[in-house]
Amino acid sequence: MTAAGRWNTLQTNRQQRLQRAAVVLGNDLQGKLLPQQRIGDCLHAVLEAGDRVCLEGNNQKQADFLAKALTRLDATRVHDLHMLLSVLALPEHLDVFDKGIASKLDFSFSGPQAARLAKLASAGKLNIGAIHTYLELYARYFVDLTPRVALVAAQSADRAGNLYTGPNTEDTPTIVEATAFKSGIVIAQVNEIVDVLPRVDIPAGWVDFVVQAPTPHYIEPLFTRDPALISEIQVLMAMMAIKGIYAEYEVKRLNHGIGFDTAAIELLLPTYAASLGLKGKIASHWALNPHPALIPAIEAGFVESVHSFGSELGMEDYIRARPDVFFVGADGSMRSNRALSQAAGHYACDMFIGSTLQIDLQGNSSTATLGRIAGFGGAPNMGADARGRRHASPAWLKAGREARAGSKQIPRGQKLVVQMVETFREHMQPAFVEKLDAWQLAEQAKMAIPPVMIYGDDVTHILTEEGIANLLLCRSEEEREQAIRGVAGYTPVGLARDKRMVENLRDRGIIKRAEDLGIDKRLATRDLLAAKNMKDLVRASGGLYQPPKRFRNW
Amino acid sequence: MTAAGRWNTLQTNRQQRLQRAAVVLGNDLQGKLLPQQRIGDCLHAVLEAGDRVCLEGNNQKQADFLAKALTRLDATRVHDLHMLLSVLALPEHLDVFDKGIASKLDFSFSGPQAARLAKLASAGKLNIGAIHTYLELYARYFVDLTPRVALVAAQSADRAGNLYTGPNTEDTPTIVEATAFKSGIVIAQVNEIVDVLPRVDIPAGWVDFVVQAPTPHYIEPLFTRDPALISEIQVLMAMMAIKGIYAEYEVKRLNHGIGFDTAAIELLLPTYAASLGLKGKIASHWALNPHPALIPAIEAGFVESVHSFGSELGMEDYIRARPDVFFVGADGSMRSNRALSQAAGHYACDMFIGSTLQIDLQGNSSTATLGRIAGFGGAPNMGADARGRRHASPAWLKAGREARAGSKQIPRGQKLVVQMVETFREHMQPAFVEKLDAWQLAEQAKMAIPPVMIYGDDVTHILTEEGIANLLLCRSEEEREQAIRGVAGYTPVGLARDKRMVENLRDRGIIKRAEDLGIDKRLATRDLLAAKNMKDLVRASGGLYQPPKRFRNW
């Protein structure tokens, strides 16, 4: 073999694929543009059995037309694809396994498809490489999981093939960079082809084929929480979070999870937090999707900056009108970026606060339950102590001091990682358990270790309606266990507490009840919410926020 | 104030800056292009006192023309700039503080300027915000350190303002994205202006001004190690690393530090490692700058993939001819990306191995020494356990098992973090110390906590010419301390070892000497190096590698 032939097999193979496509598509291929009805031919020409294929299935934006086209391929020609997806969101994402087109999967999150994924896995129809946190999956795209072909989605393309993503930039730049710069093939579906793009998000030189989809790509409004569904228990917990954690640690830079618990906090910033004099002192800088529930806090001047992983349906005009807060381009619309926002969540935030389904006696938590292989998305990355971090902030230093007080360890800061749960979740399932379901799931699905979302030694606080357990201050495994039992309410775990020890922990400030924080529970009513329903959010936005139909309940 | 005025102050201010520049530059401004002699006027027009200015000072590529232009500004007009730099490399990076143009600094690494930085800081001429690891600094660009103005460097621009970085893409995309999408101003210096770019790295829409510099931007060949300077002690240590760690843990995905110790390992892959049958089993996937010392391993087929933070001078043609290994664009030249490669090093690598100046009895290490404020670049990020990681590999699982054997903790993997040092460094300074200089430095420079590069609880192995200490297997602080003393040789720390305990650790395999690994020290000669000097590297590359002049010593 010649030296040249030995070292450019990827480039040569890329040329062969492009050549095959050119032959098959003939005059239907205009530069990089092909008609939608030829997408199957294009994929048949370009794909090879065993290819690693990154299909843009994001938290929100979906390359749904390309996903569907994949499912229609001839499995005798294209098979054993190794699929890479951030999020398994659509049925098509699993159909390719059912149909024998794909056989291996690496991913991050599969919320809507978790049960079917588990079934397909146990039927031997698909082999799961691993479950990742988002940034970890992208990292592997540059090391040992580089895509051979990437199928992505954008808002529009010009005739040269430049792409405009609009606010849902999300994973596209990262996927395309990994693929295009290792001699791979990039195919983009777009909603429209235009003469002049509002801005260029992906240069044409990084893209091989562009196809206009018959319908605009699907976007999931994943971060919209109707304030009408927030309970008074959640208001109480939000008050405890604000007074007992945000104010206590002066948390300015943070990320919130996706649930109603944290939506309640967002809605209490301009009311309860403001009444405590906390405006300007907490929650000013965010790594966060544009949560509609944050609108009242933004309007009240609580929020200086928000960098987003993706966008949120209906928030486009509001974001465009608030460029001091969001990251928008010269064209006026947002550019999100999940890779960079996850880096921001990991390294530039002092706190992650989110919810979970189960917490064990060591504080390990997981949303993995039997019969469902769900993955954890961004939570493991943001809910882990960033041990590479070197810059100080009051929150980080205080958490580090509390964890190391009395030890001979060298001083170091620590990230605040808060798990916020009601002691019982839906159907009266206890949130606190002796042993996580993750253990059984690991056995069922033959995983090397149980799928834990956030490890106990990264969790600093557990917050329930019964109070806050500050795990930073615990000095032994036993104290830690009792601190957890001490906020676990009437769950079996909570009932089995050592009452004397729990009272001792309370005396030492390791457990704090609402009353210890000076919070009058009678004030914990929905009246504290800055918006009580979707209409209030629209009103707060000055009519700029336009909720998707399913949330228009007035 | 109108609603619009309240929320687009950044956009309005941006327009004012652009307008001022348009007025001052007049017809000299052709689209986005301005003549080099007007750069001072442009900066005076665009900058405002107190601005956060990100000046592209990278590990390798330097926006040196813009740096010099900054130092020539009128400090009565432009002052109190808050400078953001990855690397303080050039005298100009500090001149701006000396001249009263800038007053605050956030950065990652200041190797060449560390002593002067310390002097300026203690003279009150500059206020250090914080020292960061690279990815952490970029993360803050999207949260609380967003640049108002970015001054970057690229290889070329077209007349529209699209930028081509060539292989030294480095930090440019990240800096520009953070600035351009928060209504900031982006100014790029380029080596040439051309009609058609080889490829687009930064779209023109993200760039405001382009200026052709009088000389090509400076690039530092930071990763070139002349094999002639590798000692036989280093060969011995490299053998121990390969047999005792790489083979033991089946380390396939990794990052290497910058020193001669790791260069020796690279040069032993096609000889010693191959003789152990390790080809294809270790060191196949890298997050690494294109180290010339890796050429023989690449040529031997040891290396499947390398993703790079930046490029390395002289390696351009070699990289272009090895596109199966490196990430190159359709134009044939590499695209590096420090942010994504740091993510790769953090989340997709099983091992970081590098050197340090001082290690204490807990295993904390630092390159900070008195009178020098150096920073740590990427080491803290890559030399930290990635606690958000969720995918398994044999190396990661084994490290995790060793660390947790016998404990009740939930199973979890762990990253291998190896510190490789000779017991005495230059001028017979011991590498092992009772207390790090970092403590005194923290006091001198009024840092909140001592500047530690890699924390002891992240270090898994310490490797010296005396052997390997496996800290994963230590079960108490005391064992850990004796394991460290047990490889600290004739340093005072090493001499103060408890001999019985050290022998016990050796019996248990926690300390391993060369003979315990079956390594015959007599074979540890320079003959094992796949290249013994620069000329050998050039020859191994088939003449493609073209070392910078200063390394052409034949």
Side-chain angles (χ1 to χ4, degrees):
Chain A
M1 203 181 286
T2 63
R6 185 170 160 212
W7 298 107
N8 61 2
T9 60
L10 294 176
Q11 280 180 349
T12 307
N13 172 268
R14 170 183 151 80
Q15 287 310 326
Q16 289 163 348
R17 293 170 188 244
L18 293 176
Q19 185 55 33
R20 290 198 302 258
V23 169
V24 166
L25 297 172
N27 287 335
D28 276 352
L29 188 63
Q30 299 285 320
K32 297 179 176 181
L33 311 186
L34 71 142
Q36 54 191 240
Q37 62 274 18
R38 301 303 306 273
I39 186 63
D41 298 322
C42 179
L43 290 173
H44 272 127
V46 157
L47 287 168
E48 296 181 2
D51 272 347
R52 266 200 299 259
V53 176
C54 183
L55 172 60
E56 193 165 14
N58 294 346
N59 226 336
Q60 294 123 290
K61 182 174 67 173
Q62 304 298 336
D64 50 358
F65 171 68
L66 295 174
K68 200 174 283 289
L70 260 191
T71 66
R72 293 179 178 153
L73 297 185
D74 177 351
T76 63
R77 294 170 66 186
V78 176
H79 48 87
D80 289 308
L81 297 184
H82 177 173
M83 301 302 298
L84 311 171
L85 289 102
S86 292
V87 179
L88 284 155
L90 308 176
E92 288 84 356
H93 294 162
L94 287 174
D95 290 348
V96 288
F97 295 97
D98 238 347
K99 296 187 173 178
I101 294 163
S103 59
K104 188 164 181 189
L105 170 68
D106 277 279
F107 75 107
S108 285
F109 184 65
S110 72
Q113 303 294 335
R116 189 171 160 217
L117 173 59
K119 268 186 212 146
L120 282 168
S122 69
K125 289 215 167 183
L126 113 188
N127 167 12
I128 296 179
I131 306 176
H132 308 76
T133 193
Y134 292 131
L135 190 57
E136 174 187 13
L137 185 62
Y138 311 147
R140 293 190 70 189
Y141 291 171
F142 295 91
V143 179
D144 62 340
L145 285 183
T146 306
R148 195 76 196 105
V149 176
L151 308 174
V152 301
Q155 169 60 33
S156 49
D158 63 19
R159 285 168 216 290
N162 292 293
L163 302 183
Y164 168 63
T165 61
N168 284 90
T169 321
E170 305 196 34
D171 307 11
T172 317
T174 311
I175 295 170
V176 173
E177 180 157 351
T179 311
F181 290 91
K182 202 76 189 276
S183 309
I185 306 263
V186 176
I187 304 177
Q189 75 169 73
V190 298
N191 300 342
E192 48 176 359
I193 290 167
V194 298
D195 288 324
V196 180
L197 295 174
R199 72 169 186 248
V200 174
D201 284 291
I202 311 284
W206 307 17
V207 177
D208 297 299
F209 299 99
V210 173
V211 56
Q212 183 175 354
T215 50
H217 57 69
Y218 180 70
I219 304 182
E220 170 75 17
L222 203 62
F223 297 91
T224 301
R225 294 287 166 270
D226 185 343
L229 302 178
I230 293 174
S231 70
E232 301 208 322
I233 291 283
Q234 285 164 334
V235 172
L236 173 65
M237 289 168 64
M239 292 169 78
M240 289 197 277
I242 288 169
K243 197 160 182 195
I245 301 176
Y246 291 57
E248 186 73 19
Y249 292 88
E250 304 172 49
V251 178
K252 288 195 158 188
R253 305 173 308 166
L254 72 166
N255 169 263
H256 270 191
I258 190 179
F260 285 97
D261 303 300
T262 42
I265 297 175
E266 291 154 22
L267 291 168
L268 253 57
L269 290 176
T271 57
Y272 180 67
S275 77
L276 297 175
L278 295 173
K279 184 173 156 183
K281 295 187 181 149
I282 63 166
S284 51
H285 293 81
W286 299 72
L288 196 80
N289 278 67
H291 289 190
L294 201 62
I295 291 171
I298 292 172
E299 295 301 306
F302 238 90
V303 175
E304 267 186 57
S305 179
V306 177
H307 188 264
S308 297
F309 312 93
S311 189
E312 183 66 2
L313 267 186
M315 287 288 280
E316 297 82 0
D317 290 349
Y318 180 73
I319 292 167
R320 187 182 286 272
R322 298 290 179 268
D324 282 2
V325 172
F326 295 98
F327 280 71
V328 302
D331 64 305
S333 78
M334 187 165 76
R335 176 165 159 120
S336 53
N337 187 319
R338 197 174 320 278
L340 291 171
S341 210
Q342 285 290 336
H346 187 70
Y347 270 132
C349 286
D350 291 319
M351 181 171 81
F352 168 79
I353 178 168
S355 202
T356 188
L357 291 183
Q358 291 190 330
I359 301 180
D360 74 11
L361 299 177
Q362 287 77 48
N364 300 302
S365 63
S366 187
T367 51
T369 51
L370 291 181
R372 294 171 51 84
I373 302 182
F376 309 119
N381 172 62
M382 292 190 289
D385 187 32
R387 296 163 79 92
R389 174 175 165 177
R390 293 296 178 268
H391 76 281
S393 70
W396 185 77
L397 288 172
K398 179 173 172 145
R401 273 195 310 271
E402 288 188 346
R404 283 157 192 79
S407 96
K408 275 188 287 186
Q409 280 188 289
I410 200 159
R412 183 173 187 176
Q414 188 167 333
K415 185 174 201 170
L416 294 165
V417 176
V418 183
Q419 292 280 272
M420 188 173 183
V421 290
E422 288 181 62
T423 53
F424 287 93
R425 49 189 173 92
E426 287 180 322
H427 312 301
M428 286 305 280
Q429 290 292 308
F432 293 87
V433 297
E434 298 271 342
K435 195 166 187 173
L436 297 176
D437 281 1
W439 285 92
Q440 258 182 282
L441 183 65
E443 225 166 277
Q444 276 183 356
K446 299 190 182 63
M447 299 175 182
I449 53 177
V452 170
M453 180 170 73
I454 296 183
Y455 283 92
D457 48 6
D458 281 321
V459 175
T460 62
H461 296 77
I462 296 176
L463 165 53
T464 72
E465 74 277 12
E466 204 189 356
I468 299 172
N470 181 343
L471 305 183
L472 290 166
L473 297 172
C474 295
R475 286 293 166 268
S476 67
E477 285 306 307
E478 202 193 352
E479 281 192 4
R480 202 178 167 81
E481 178 180 326
Q482 291 301 329
I484 293 171
R485 290 190 191 276
V487 294
Y490 292 98
T491 63
V493 161
L495 293 172
R497 70 186 63 175
D498 176 330
K499 281 186 190 158
R500 247 197 7 217
M501 205 163 159
V502 166
E503 276 318 300
N504 173 272
L505 292 173
R506 192 174 165 192
D507 291 342
R508 288 159 56 199
I510 296 177
I511 291 178
K512 286 187 180 166
R513 311 287 181 214
E515 48 271 36
D516 303 334
L517 293 165
I519 291 171
D520 182 347
K521 286 187 184 177
R522 290 167 305 180
L523 300 179
T525 69
R526 285 182 37 84
D527 288 341
L528 278 182
L529 296 172
K532 291 174 188 61
N533 50 50
M534 294 302 289
K535 203 172 173 185
D536 282 355
L537 287 177
V538 173
R539 202 179 294 125
S541 77
L544 291 165
Y545 170 46
Q546 289 154 350
K549 267 207 186 110
R550 71 166 112 153
F551 293 103
R552 294 181 169 273
N553 46 16
W554 64 93
Chain B
M1 206 183 284
T2 65
R6 187 170 158 211
W7 297 107
N8 61 1
T9 61
L10 294 176
Q11 280 180 349
T12 305
N13 172 268
R14 171 183 148 80
Q15 287 310 327
Q16 288 163 349
R17 293 171 188 244
L18 293 176
Q19 186 54 34
R20 289 199 302 258
V23 168
V24 166
L25 297 171
N27 287 334
D28 277 350
L29 189 64
Q30 299 283 321
K32 295 179 176 179
L33 311 187
L34 70 143
Q36 52 191 240
Q37 62 274 17
R38 302 301 308 273
I39 185 63
D41 297 322
C42 179
L43 290 173
H44 272 128
V46 156
L47 287 169
E48 297 181 0
D51 271 347
R52 266 200 299 259
V53 176
C54 184
L55 172 60
E56 192 164 16
N58 294 346
N59 227 334
Q60 293 123 290
K61 181 174 68 170
Q62 304 298 335
D64 50 359
F65 171 67
L66 294 174
K68 200 175 284 287
L70 261 192
T71 65
R72 291 179 179 153
L73 297 185
D74 177 351
T76 64
R77 294 171 65 185
V78 177
H79 50 85
D80 289 307
L81 297 184
H82 178 174
M83 301 302 298
L84 311 171
L85 289 103
S86 293
V87 178
L88 283 156
L90 308 177
E92 289 83 358
H93 293 164
L94 287 174
D95 291 349
V96 288
F97 295 97
D98 238 348
K99 295 187 175 180
I101 294 162
S103 59
K104 188 165 182 189
L105 171 68
D106 277 279
F107 76 108
S108 285
F109 184 65
S110 72
Q113 302 294 336
R116 188 170 160 219
L117 173 59
K119 267 185 212 147
L120 281 168
S122 69
K125 288 213 168 183
L126 111 190
N127 167 13
I128 296 180
I131 305 176
H132 309 76
T133 193
Y134 292 131
L135 191 56
E136 174 187 12
L137 185 62
Y138 311 148
R140 292 190 71 188
Y141 291 171
F142 295 90
V143 179
D144 62 340
L145 285 184
T146 306
R148 196 75 196 106
V149 176
L151 307 175
V152 302
Q155 170 61 33
S156 47
D158 63 17
R159 284 168 217 287
N162 291 293
L163 301 183
Y164 168 62
T165 62
N168 284 91
T169 322
E170 306 197 35
D171 307 11
T172 317
T174 311
I175 294 170
V176 174
E177 181 157 349
T179 310
F181 289 91
K182 202 73 191 276
S183 309
I185 306 265
V186 175
I187 305 177
Q189 74 169 74
V190 298
N191 301 342
E192 47 177 0
I193 290 166
V194 299
D195 288 327
V196 181
L197 295 175
R199 72 171 186 248
V200 174
D201 285 291
I202 311 285
W206 307 17
V207 178
D208 297 298
F209 299 99
V210 173
V211 56
Q212 182 174 354
T215 50
H217 57 68
Y218 179 71
I219 304 182
E220 170 76 15
L222 203 62
F223 296 91
T224 301
R225 294 287 165 270
D226 185 343
L229 302 178
I230 293 175
S231 70
E232 302 208 321
I233 291 282
Q234 285 165 334
V235 171
L236 173 65
M237 289 167 64
M239 292 169 78
M240 290 196 277
I242 288 170
K243 198 161 183 193
I245 301 176
Y246 290 58
E248 185 74 20
Y249 292 88
E250 304 172 50
V251 178
K252 289 196 158 187
R253 305 174 306 166
L254 72 167
N255 168 263
H256 270 190
I258 190 179
F260 284 97
D261 303 299
T262 42
I265 298 175
E266 291 154 23
L267 290 168
L268 253 58
L269 290 175
T271 57
Y272 180 68
S275 76
L276 296 174
L278 295 173
K279 185 175 155 182
K281 295 188 181 151
I282 63 166
S284 51
H285 293 80
W286 299 72
L288 195 79
N289 277 71
H291 289 189
L294 201 62
I295 291 171
I298 292 172
E299 295 302 306
F302 238 92
V303 176
E304 269 188 57
S305 179
V306 177
H307 188 264
S308 298
F309 312 94
S311 188
E312 182 66 0
L313 267 186
M315 287 288 281
E316 297 81 0
D317 290 349
Y318 180 74
I319 292 167
R320 186 182 287 272
R322 298 291 178 268
D324 281 2
V325 172
F326 294 97
F327 280 71
V328 302
D331 63 307
S333 78
M334 185 165 80
R335 178 166 157 117
S336 54
N337 187 319
R338 197 174 320 277
L340 291 171
S341 210
Q342 284 290 337
H346 186 71
Y347 270 132
C349 286
D350 291 319
M351 181 171 79
F352 168 78
I353 178 168
S355 201
T356 188
L357 292 184
Q358 291 190 331
I359 300 179
D360 73 11
L361 299 177
Q362 286 78 48
N364 301 302
S365 64
S366 186
T367 51
T369 51
L370 292 182
R372 293 171 51 84
I373 301 181
F376 308 118
N381 173 61
M382 293 191 289
D385 187 34
R387 296 164 80 94
R389 175 174 163 176
R390 293 294 178 269
H391 76 283
S393 70
W396 184 77
L397 287 172
K398 178 172 173 143
R401 273 196 309 272
E402 288 187 346
R404 284 158 192 77
S407 96
K408 276 187 287 186
Q409 281 188 287
I410 199 157
R412 182 176 187 174
Q414 188 166 335
K415 182 172 204 173
L416 294 165
V417 177
V418 183
Q419 291 280 274
M420 187 175 185
V421 288
E422 290 182 60
T423 54
F424 287 93
R425 50 188 172 94
E426 287 180 320
H427 313 301
M428 287 304 281
Q429 290 291 309
F432 293 88
V433 297
E434 299 270 340
K435 193 164 189 176
L436 298 175
D437 282 0
W439 285 91
Q440 259 182 282
L441 184 64
E443 224 166 278
Q444 275 182 355
K446 298 192 181 65
M447 298 173 181
I449 53 177
V452 170
M453 179 168 74
I454 297 182
Y455 283 92
D457 48 5
D458 282 320
V459 175
T460 62
H461 296 78
I462 295 176
L463 165 53
T464 71
E465 73 277 11
E466 205 190 356
I468 299 173
N470 181 343
L471 305 184
L472 290 166
L473 298 172
C474 295
R475 285 294 167 268
S476 66
E477 285 304 307
E478 202 193 352
E479 281 192 5
R480 202 177 167 81
E481 178 180 327
Q482 290 300 330
I484 293 172
R485 290 189 191 275
V487 295
Y490 291 99
T491 63
V493 162
L495 293 172
R497 71 185 62 175
D498 175 330
K499 281 184 191 161
R500 255 211 345 232
M501 203 162 160
V502 167
E503 276 318 300
N504 173 272
L505 293 173
R506 192 174 166 193
D507 292 343
R508 289 159 57 198
I510 296 178
I511 290 179
K512 286 187 178 165
R513 311 287 182 211
E515 48 271 36
D516 303 335
L517 293 164
I519 291 171
D520 182 347
K521 286 187 184 177
R522 289 168 306 181
L523 299 180
T525 68
R526 288 185 32 89
D527 287 343
L528 278 182
L529 295 171
K532 290 174 190 61
N533 50 50
M534 294 301 290
K535 203 174 174 183
D536 281 356
L537 288 177
V538 174
R539 201 179 293 124
S541 77
L544 291 164
Y545 170 46
Q546 290 155 351
K549 268 207 186 110
R550 70 167 114 152
F551 292 103
R552 295 181 168 273
N553 45 15
W554 65 92

